[in-house]
Amino acid sequence: MDNKKRNWYQNDPIMQRYFRQYVSHLKDWGEERLYQLGEYCAGPMEERAQYTDRDGTPKLIRYNRQGEEINEIWYNEGYLQTVGDCYEWGVVGWRYQEDVPCKIPYFYSQLMFMLMSKAEVGFTCPVTLTMSVAFVIEKYATEEQKKEFLPRLASMNRETLHQGATFLTEIQGGSDVGSVMTKAVKHGEHYLLTGEKWFASNCDADGALILARTGETLGTKGLSLFYLPKKLKDGSRNNVSIRRLKDKLGVRAVASGELVLQDAIGYLIGKEQEGFKLMAEALNVSRMCTATGSLAISQRAFSEAFTYVTERHTFGNSLISYPMIRESLLNMMVDIEASWTLVAQMLLHFDRVHTTQEDSFPDTLTLLRCLLAMAKVKCSEQSVLHAKESLEMHGGNGYIEEYVTPRLLRDAQVNTVWEGATNIMALEFWKNMSRNQPDANQNILLRFLSNGLNELTLSAYAEECEIARQELQKVSGQFDYLVQADPLTQQAHALHFLTSVTQLACAIFLMQQAEYGWKQDGETRMIKVAKYYCNRTYRPSLYGIGSSCIPSVEYFEEIVSGFVNGNVVNV
Ligand SMILES: Cc1cc2nc3c(=O)[nH]c(=O)nc-3n(C[C@H](O)[C@H](O)[C@H](O)COP(=O)(O)OP(=O)(O)OC[C@H]3O[C@@H](n4cnc5c(N)ncnc54)[C@H](O)[C@@H]3O)c2cc1C
């Protein structure tokens, strides 16, 4: 395919729809930029990403020729160009600029982030980390620290930019953050940190947030958060060694290393022993990015597959004419639409709490945390499946590195692990669902879903609404059961419960989208998407052998080919 013809914003009607619906107030200021970025990401950025993944992965230069430790990372020129360009596009920076129509919401910057993630998730990892560090510094650092660190983290100039990183994981535990053993000892105005970090992405970042133990308190309560600069004020290197880089399955563009700290200088952020809480805020930003980045992989996987099966012929026909291929594409598209609804709710709530601050009630924060966990799990798990589906639709070629499909699959797989593995997200979800919420009637997320359902009015999906109502009752019953159950039972069912609630949420959000589209301009496609999603999930026998409906016949034209025609082909 000719990369020059591609524009991943222009050819993404779903992203455009969400832009119009939720950030249209930024149309004059910001939509043209998305068009330009869409072309950039699909063109030069994508080309460089291929090279970085195959031949230009970062390399550790630990010593110089005098045998002195320098701990530098070599990056290929193209990757460095991408880094400079993308921060200058403002993926992190716009939020902190003053000459803008309003505080730029994450909803907007995440659209930029998704366009970049379609090209290179290995690179959007450092972007995520920089965004997370900037967020925590903005919210919790002292005024003096903010003045010192934030302008560089938010810089839209490659010469002054400081990239960020977050260092939690040690060899004895990643999910079990309370097992961190790195120690911090107060030394005048700063702290001296000693210990080892087992996973550190963007390990040569200019400034990292790092967790270390102060005092004797065990577990997460004994952890404090520090800003760890790469270089000290006199220009010398901080006492952090990069022991080695990880040899990874995917996301090979980002340098993930093992670190050894020996009396490294760190600056306390917030108060001592409140570090875990603050790092959790950074994690929430990175979970948001992991969800949107995964969705971007799904969309890329879909468009690559669609293009390929349109062009490829077997047995005298184009692959896209075959019903099983159509069903695969249909299911991918419907799941992508479902994930978009969830991601949109996550972003809206993130901005409500953290950008416009119109609503920062504890309830909304809890709701946001539930949505973050749901979106992170659904989008990351799904992107692995979608990358696999896309690879298989390419046949043998899909397995060959000249195509993007192997990279998509390798890159997708990390998203279910980092920033909270799927089981951990399910536990996190349950913790938030059950905190101060003794029964389903008082549960913030279940009430949110119930209100959404009650507002639906279209008769076109009256049956599906009724099914969703019954499901809501079922899920509420499960909640009431689990909330009374012993911890083992709660843990055993945490992921099942998250999955059930996520399915239901997507069904309701899809119907809301359908209603919005219908009321705006009489659009019927999303009604079909919502109906198909609900029935496929809750009444699969409607499409089983012997039923009168074959989805690839009934739905393909309107949901997939009519919709993407002229958009996805040649993207
Ligand atoms: C490429 C890459 C880059 C990374 N970059 C960074 C980084 O920059 N900074 C950083 O701090 N970390 C980083 N990590 C580490 C990552 O966040 C952790 O690997 C992840 O959080 C999981 O922790 P773990 O590896 O210790 O697995 P474990 O905690 O040992 O978990 C192993 C498995 O057991 C499951 N599990 C654990 N506890 C439970 C439980 N109670 N119930 C049920 N299941 C459970 C988990 O879901 C997981 O599937 C990176 C990892 C990778 C792969």
Side-chain angles (χ1 to χ4, degrees), residues 166 168-169 173-175 199-201 248 414 417-419 421 423-424 427:
T166 56
L168 301 80
T169 306
S175 316
F199 273 105
S201 289
K248 293 173 297 191
V414 82
V417 176
W418 66 12
E419 315 302 351
N423 287 355
I424 300 302
L427 294 174

Side-chain angles (χ1 to χ4, degrees), residues 440 446 471-483 497:
L446 297 177
E471 282 304 316
L472 182 59
Q473 263 184 11
K474 219 187 269 176
V475 165
S476 300
Q478 290 171 350
F479 178 82
D480 286 339
Y481 167 77
L482 284 178
V483 90
F497 187 63

Side-chain angles (χ1 to χ4, degrees), residues 57-76 80 203-204 230 237 240-245 255:
T57 51
K59 292 179 184 44
L60 171 63
I61 306 169
R62 190 153 177 201
Y63 301 100
N64 65 13
R65 61 185 179 181
Q66 281 85 33
E68 294 157 347
E69 211 178 320
I70 53 170
N71 293 293
E72 279 175 10
I73 306 287
W74 172 87
Y75 295 99
N76 74 70
L80 291 174
C203 57
D204 64 331
K230 179 163 89 173
R237 207 174 46 77
V240 182
S241 303
I242 304 172
R243 185 162 48 204
R244 60 175 171 163
L245 294 187

Side-chain angles (χ1 to χ4, degrees), residues 220-233:
T220 52
K221 292 204 169 88
L223 297 176
S224 305
L225 188 70
F226 298 91
Y227 186 84
L228 181 79
K230 179 163 89 173
K231 284 201 175 147
L232 302 177
K233 285 179 182 151

Side-chain angles (χ1 to χ4, degrees), residues 125 129 165-177 179 197-203 209 211 246 248-252 254-257 279 283 287 376 413-427 491-492:
C125 165
L129 298 170
T166 56
F167 303 151
L168 301 80
T169 306
E170 299 187 359
I171 193 164
Q172 66 280 4
S175 316
D176 184 6
V177 180
S179 68
K197 294 288 168 182
W198 182 239
F199 273 105
S201 289
N202 213 20
C203 57
L209 290 177
L211 281 179
K246 301 288 195 188
K248 293 173 297 191
L249 174 69
V251 287
R252 293 159 63 92
V254 54
S256 306
M279 192 57 115
L283 280 179
R287 285 167 184 170
K376 203 266 182 189
Q413 186 60 75
V414 82
N415 286 330
T416 62
V417 176
W418 66 12
E419 315 302 351
T422 290
N423 287 355
I424 300 302
M425 295 314 304
L427 294 174
Q491 279 192 44

